[in-house]
């Protein structure tokens, strides 16, 4: 069965520190992986996806098929990064997206 | 992109009653979905709303409890029937673009409290 695991419910770091939000998945085929973010009082929105290999707001995520991971990283956290982050998986070429439990990132001044 | 609105934004309902949530997208979309987000939990897919045909439900969700309509490419409704306190949750409408783009858009959610 497809599953997305985010082991940390809460991650607290100081401003300027590196941050890594962990995501592991289980899927037998070729998944599409995404990170979604929800800032306070805003709706859920796409942050980045593995296919594009882009950096958004300083965040990057690399798909590691050997470790079935898609960790989200940023070298220097900012206070405005405080939000809820969800890792998500969609079957390659499919239409259903499943979400991990989410990690709340809190960046302290 | 697609902008999604939902009505109502929140409601408090008595057990045993039903509530219909409306979802309107500002452009035609291929896929529309309904998710539930219970307090402190992640998003759980309830069903895919299919235009002109019956919705496709995920395991654990049934049409009698969560009837869904999708009369056209921009509108869908989800009804939560015979509510109980366990149905208290945020219900989210989501959609993917007409070009079947990778990005999935979300509505602001409907916060339902059942007393």
């Amino acid at each position: 069965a497809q599953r997305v695991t985010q082991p940390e419910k809460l991650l607290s770091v100081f401003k300027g520190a590196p941050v890594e939000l962990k995501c592991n998945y289980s899927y037998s085929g070729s998944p599409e992986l995404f990170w979604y973010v929800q800032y306070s009082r805003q709706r859920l929105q796409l942050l980045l996806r593995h296919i594009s290999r882009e950096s958004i707001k300083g965040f990057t995520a690399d798909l590691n098929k050997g470790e079935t991971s898609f960790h989200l990283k940023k070298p220097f956290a900012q206070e405005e990064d405080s939000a809820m982050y969800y890792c998500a998986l969609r079957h390659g070429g499919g239409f259903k997206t499943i979400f991990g439990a989410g990690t709340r990132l809190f960046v302290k001044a | 992109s697609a902008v999604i609105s939902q009505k109502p934004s929140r409601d408090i309902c008595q057990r045993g009653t039903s509530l219909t949530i409306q979802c309107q997208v500002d452009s035609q979309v291929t896929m529309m979905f309904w998710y539930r987000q219970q307090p402190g939990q992640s998003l759980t897919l309830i069903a895919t709303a299919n235009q002109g045909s019956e919705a496709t439900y995920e395991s654990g969700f049934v049409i009698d409890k969560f009837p869904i309509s999708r009369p056209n490419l921009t509108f869908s409704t989800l009804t939560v029937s015979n509510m109980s306190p366990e149905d208290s949750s945020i219900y989210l409408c989501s959609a993917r673009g007409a070009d079947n783009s990778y990005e999935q858009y979300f509505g602001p959610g409907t916060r339902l409290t059942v007393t």
Side-chain angles (χ1 to χ4, degrees):
Chain A
Q2 300 84 27
R3 185 188 297 271
V4 178
T5 303
Q6 293 180 251
E8 303 139 328
K9 279 197 166 184
L10 173 66
L11 185 62
S12 182
V13 301
F14 282 102
K15 176 181 171 183
V19 62
E20 180 179 66
L21 289 84
K22 291 184 167 50
C23 172
N24 288 89
Y25 67 91
S26 63
Y27 182 67
S28 57
S30 296
E32 295 177 65
L33 285 151
F34 306 84
W35 278 98
Y36 282 82
V37 61
Q38 188 167 26
Y39 300 102
S40 179
R41 298 182 182 279
Q42 294 187 28
R43 63 187 67 191
L44 196 61
Q45 59 186 283
L46 178 68
L47 179 62
L48 54 79
R49 61 174 186 148
H50 87 271
I51 289 177
S52 56
R53 301 184 66 82
E54 57 201 343
S55 173
I56 303 292
K57 299 185 179 183
F59 284 98
T60 58
D62 290 318
L63 177 60
N64 185 322
K65 290 187 177 181
E67 296 182 358
T68 59
S69 68
F70 188 56
H71 303 326
L72 183 68
K73 301 176 184 179
K74 185 170 182 177
F76 307 104
Q78 303 298 314
E79 289 181 73
E80 55 265 30
D81 295 328
S82 296
M84 194 73 179
Y85 291 81
Y86 293 95
C87 184
L89 176 153
R90 189 164 72 213
H91 312 202
F95 54 87
K96 289 194 301 184
T97 301
I98 60 173
F99 289 80
T103 298
R104 181 167 296 283
L105 174 64
F106 181 56
V107 181
K108 298 176 285 189
Chain B
S1 66
V3 177
I4 301 175
S5 58
Q6 287 182 233
K7 287 197 293 188
S9 58
R10 60 177 62 221
D11 207 341
I12 300 173
C13 302
Q14 290 193 334
R15 70 171 67 209
T17 62
S18 298
L19 176 73
T20 295
I21 302 167
Q22 297 180 7
C23 175
Q24 179 73 56
V25 189
D26 69 344
S27 58
Q28 292 188 344
V29 290
T30 306
M31 314 290 295
M32 291 184 75
F33 309 93
W34 287 97
Y35 287 85
R36 182 173 72 183
Q37 188 173 26
Q38 293 180 302
Q41 309 275 330
S42 183
L43 287 79
T44 301
L45 181 63
I46 297 172
T48 302
N50 302 308
Q51 194 251 331
S53 64
E54 200 169 279
T56 304
Y57 290 85
E58 296 301 303
S59 176
F61 297 95
V62 295
I63 187 171
D64 290 346
K65 175 67 176 177
F66 298 100
I68 288 171
S69 78
R70 189 176 172 193
N72 57 51
L73 292 175
T74 65
F75 185 79
S76 178
T77 66
L78 168 75
T79 299
V80 186
S81 303
N82 188 25
M83 287 183 283
S84 66
E86 292 71 37
D87 295 320
S88 296
S89 186
I90 295 173
Y91 292 85
L92 290 163
C93 177
S94 179
R96 281 175 67 185
D99 61 354
N100 209 26
S101 65
Y102 62 86
E103 184 158 0
Q104 195 162 327
Y105 301 93
F106 287 85
T110 295
R111 184 179 294 273
L112 171 63
T113 302
V114 184
T115 61

